[in-house]
Amino acid sequence: MSGIAEKISEQIAQELNVNTSQINAAINLLDEGATVPFIARYRKEATQGLDDNHLRELETRLNYLRDLEARRQVILTSIKQQDKLTAELISQLHAADNKTRLEDLYLPYRPKRRTKGQIAISAGIEPLATKLFNNWQLNPEHEALKFVNSQAGFADAKAVLEGASSILAERFSEDANLLQKLRSHMLKQAYLTCKIVKGQENASTKFRDYFDHSEKLQGVPSHRMLAMLRGRNEGFLTLKIEVDPNQGKSSVSSAEQIINEHFTLRLTKQAGAEFLTSTVRLAWKTKLSISLSNELLTKLREKAELQAIKVFAQNLSDLLMAAPAGAKVTLGVDPGLRTGCKIAIVDGTGKLLHTTTIFPHVPQNHWDKSVRTLVNLCRQHKVQLIAIGNGTGSRESDKLVSDVITQLESNKPQKMMVSEAGASVYSASEFAANEFPDLDVSLRGAVSIARRLQDPLAELVKIDPKAIGVGQYQHDVSQSQLSQSLDDVVEDCVNAVGVDLNSASGALLTRVAGLNKTMANNIVKFRDEQGAFTNRQQLKKVARLGPKAFEQSAGFLRITGGDNPLDQSAVHPETYPVVEAMIKQLNLDSANLLNNEQLLRTVDISNLVNAQFGEVTIKEIIKELVKPNRDPRPEFKTASFAEGVNTIADLHEGMVLEGVVSNVANFGAFIDIGVHQDGLVHISSMTNKFIKDPHEIIKAGEIVKVKVTEVDVDRKRISLSMRLDDKVGESKPIAKIHNKSDKANDNKNKLPGSKSKQSRHGKPKKAENAAMGNAFADAFAKLKK
């Protein structure tokens, strides 16, 4: 291993708080083409137990540090070609542990456009600038006369001094250590100020709480930063970083003081004091403050985007890992009013059995006819589950289904409201067109709704993760980073559950570790032509699926009722010889070994250890044999929406309702309580104890009980609390101000004169209402449609 690679391994090991040997093993496997799910599941021996979270973080940091090293080499080469590479600079460049520091050091040597400072240097004024900087007693005007150069555009002492000042200002702005000091100072002391663009006061009320807002730079949470950035991008808001917001125009800023201290400029009444003081101010005002403000705003945006992506990824994971209802005949209802309700029935494997459209609601009002149609369909197909999309007309359709169930004498199906986010995207997709070429687009959505109740993971993988609608400001973040993060989540979830090789769709197979779209489609084609797979070894006959792909994917692909009972488990084919040795040791066959925990406890592990498979791997095999093909997802449960509560107008303060968590943000969670408009539980109303992140106690898809604390029918906003013992008005609904102690704490982090206040969770009451009650809630409502 090279010195650079060793250094990278050591740094990542330190960051993840694990041994360097673990990192080296993981890096080697990644470089050999192994996937994260495969390494996490089947190479625990090598990595000494690194899980998928460790490995994802390792992969991200590895790419960053390798990019950093590549950039370092480019910079070293560039400076060397300029013949300016010193031993001290080499040392500083090698010590730089992040891209910002590296670029700071490179700044003086970066090829530049023709600046005022460069023009002055070309005119021979640099010696004067150095002279005045080193000797404050010199008279600048007198010294400048010696450098007058009319031909170069410096015709008098004033022009010469301006040139000298520009040279020094550029020199100051390229000092890496000074940049570090100023950056640190701004992060600790500066304020982010947001104001309305003049003339836009009435144009966009959704940003009204940011019209005159200011808060400490270091305390800006991601959702608030993204809301302000959206306002700026739409032309309604301006953003500015202010180091000394209360400072008078004539006083010396704290940043200028740092510049003076850095260069040990003790300027009082020396002849050159005024010149150098104005030069320091020039450097700060025209260069350093602008470049650092832009840099810090970029950093804040990137940090906010990462947090938003993290929230989206967590919600997506929770949604994908939601409990499956199982292989039951399911009727899907895609609600609609004027256009009618689309109906689709699928069997236990998801195969489409029947479709139709009914018109129970306005304007047709064929209620009784629709009930009879659904009753007959339920009897004919022995329907066990009814999935109702939660879009427009969902509550009316829920009531319709309730009437249907009451008319069924026996075998009454169970009904459940299902998120239909992304169903329309699936309906118009290439995958849906290939799956149902002769089916009307409007009916495909009903099929998706039915299937996602049976198995959310298997159905949702067919949809672009960004269209599932569980993100926070998802359209405002880096789309490439978002896509990569969500793809990683889907891959991890699919491989954690495992895939039935004989029933999985091409979309689901594509997400299996080691497989791509071509391989997945070839598996489906092979299955269609040759019949069901009877053993995993047949995968080697699939076109384009080579040894590496087989190694990576085989353990995640399951076969029920095949030639080898082990093929239904997560035991990898490469370890079948270990199981055979185990069978021989216990004098059993493989079928009797599965699920036999009592007998498996008696296995002598020491006699099975060999050069290829150690104790860790064998224990993992036994763990899987005890519960083969175990599903890590929770048990299926349904939420019961309150009867008679169909619209927001039916709500009143104090109601306790059951609902489903539809989305989680870092300021709270949105709850579907069956009235089409989701309510919000603010983070401060989730529990009596302090929490930093709602994900600590709640996740998307979870069923919860909530109390209604405030209803605004006109604005379609519902405030909820999970603190059921609170009296109405005590649970801190989002539109109310916190108590005096909260406001006292807020003032510590608030610019005097600012109207925005912060809660004990670091969220401003009014500003947050705008962010989540308007920008986010509105966007979320659109996504659901």
Side-chain angles (χ1 to χ4, degrees), residues 124-141:
I125 299 175
E126 187 171 22
L128 172 65
T130 302
K131 199 174 182 181
L132 294 176
F133 176 75
N134 291 332
N135 191 345
W136 315 332
Q137 303 298 335
L138 294 175
N139 185 301
E141 289 77 10

Side-chain angles (χ1 to χ4, degrees), residues 509-528:
L509 289 167
T510 301
R511 299 292 188 169
V512 172
L515 300 182
N516 56 32
K517 186 176 180 179
T518 299
M519 295 176 192
N521 290 337
N522 286 345
I523 289 174
V524 174
K525 184 179 179 181
F526 183 92
R527 194 172 66 198
D528 292 341

Side-chain angles (χ1 to χ4, degrees), residues 199 245 307 338 415 581 593 654 691 764:
Q307 180 60 30
R338 182 183 58 82
K415 68 180 175 73
L593 193 65
I691 56 171

Side-chain angles (χ1 to χ4, degrees), residues 632-706:
R633 293 174 290 183
E635 183 182 353
F636 177 71
K637 295 179 182 178
T638 60
S640 299
F641 292 136
E643 292 293 333
V645 179
N646 302 314
T647 70
I648 191 171
D650 297 324
L651 299 174
H652 60 77
E653 293 182 1
M655 269 186 169
V656 175
L657 304 168
E658 194 167 78
V660 180
V661 180
S662 58
N663 206 349
V664 182
N666 55 9
F667 52 75
F670 290 95
I671 313 294
D672 180 1
I673 52 175
V675 297
H676 186 54
Q677 179 64 44
D678 289 351
L680 176 77
V681 179
H682 187 262
I683 188 171
S684 61
S685 299
M686 288 186 168
T687 176
N688 289 317
K689 66 179 183 179
F690 176 81
I691 56 171
K692 290 184 178 180
D693 182 356
H695 286 103
E696 294 177 30
I697 61 171
I698 201 170
K699 62 183 180 180
E702 189 175 349
I703 298 171
V704 295
K705 282 193 174 182
V706 291

Side-chain angles (χ1 to χ4, degrees), residues 13-68:
Q14 188 173 9
E15 291 172 357
L16 298 184
N17 195 27
V18 297
N19 296 326
T20 306
S21 59
Q22 294 174 272
I23 299 300
N24 288 333
I27 290 175
N28 289 337
L29 287 165
L30 288 169
D31 288 344
E32 291 168 3
T35 61
V36 166
F38 176 79
I39 298 171
R41 175 71 71 90
Y42 297 114
R43 291 297 180 262
K44 290 183 179 180
E45 197 88 52
T47 68
Q48 300 168 52
L50 291 182
D51 61 23
D52 51 359
N53 292 323
H54 278 122
L55 291 166
R56 290 292 181 199
E57 194 170 347
L58 183 157
E59 191 174 34
T60 299
R61 287 297 289 157
L62 180 62
N63 291 333
Y64 177 88
L65 293 174
R66 283 178 170 174
D67 287 345
L68 176 68

